[in-house]
């Protein structure tokens, strides 16, 4: 039984990883299929420690925030996507890493703390 649970946990983690990758690279058809597989796996799961909250229509960008106050934009994004690890303002000409992170949103602001570009995942 222990081997079965271990295999089940590994399967769940693989489904979760594939789903995250599909969300990151915007593969809607595959994402939907993986969400169904993950839901089925979760229904049959005996291990309730593994739980993933995945919404089918999670926002990835906020064009409506361009021109708004930076801190207000950060709060709006955090309320829309509480699962994000990092949401913060960044000066529009500031230095930052170029890596892509699906759990981060950078809100680029001008010297008056006004959002100058569309905030998006990455």
């Amino acid at each position: 039984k222990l081997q079965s649970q271990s295999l089940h946990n590994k399967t769940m983690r693989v489904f979760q990883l594939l789903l995250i990758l599909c969300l990151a690279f915007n593969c809607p058809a595959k994402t939907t299929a993986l969400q169904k597989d993950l839901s089925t796996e979760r229904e049959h799961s005996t291990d309730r420690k593994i739980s993933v909250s995945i919404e089918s229509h999670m926002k990835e960008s906020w064009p409506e925030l361009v021109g708004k106050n930076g801190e207000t934009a950060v709060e709006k994004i955090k309320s829309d996507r509480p699962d994000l690890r990092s949401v913060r303002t960044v000066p529009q000409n500031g230095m930052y890493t170029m890596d892509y992170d699906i759990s981060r949103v950078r809100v680029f602001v001008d010297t008056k703390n006004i959002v100058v570009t569309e905030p998006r995942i990455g």
Side-chain angles (χ1 to χ4, degrees), residues 6 27 38 55 60 65 111 116:
S6 176
C27 310
L38 189 56
E55 300 173 22
E60 295 181 5
L65 297 178
T111 56
V116 293

Side-chain angles (χ1 to χ4, degrees), residues 55 57-90 101-109 115-122:
E55 300 173 22
H57 302 303
M58 292 195 309
K59 279 189 91 161
E60 295 181 5
S61 64
W62 290 262
E64 71 276 11
L65 297 178
V66 174
K68 305 287 186 197
N69 175 277
E71 295 308 315
T72 303
V74 167
E75 292 307 313
K76 170 68 172 143
I77 294 167
K78 285 181 177 180
S79 74
D80 287 350
R81 291 287 306 273
D83 59 305
L84 294 171
R85 179 184 55 81
S86 175
V87 180
R88 62 183 74 167
T89 59
V90 178
D101 183 347
I102 63 170
S103 64
R104 174 182 63 208
V105 174
R106 290 183 178 130
V107 179
F108 292 96
V109 295
V115 179
V116 293
T117 59
E118 177 181 330
R120 60 179 54 247
I121 297 285

Side-chain angles (χ1 to χ4, degrees), residues 4-53:
S4 175
Q5 277 186 328
S6 176
L7 180 60
H8 177 76
N9 291 345
K10 288 178 185 175
T11 303
M12 290 290 290
R13 287 188 185 106
V14 168
F15 276 133
Q16 291 167 351
L17 180 61
L18 287 171
L19 184 56
I20 289 168
L21 289 172
C22 284
L23 286 169
F25 294 103
N26 198 17
C27 310
K30 191 65 174 170
T31 300
T32 302
L34 284 169
Q35 284 174 328
K36 287 179 183 174
D37 289 345
L38 189 56
S39 294
T40 302
E41 282 293 320
R42 206 177 294 128
E43 286 172 12
H44 294 80
S45 176
T46 56
D47 183 2
R48 294 293 171 206
K49 292 179 185 174
I50 297 176
S51 64
V52 175
S53 174

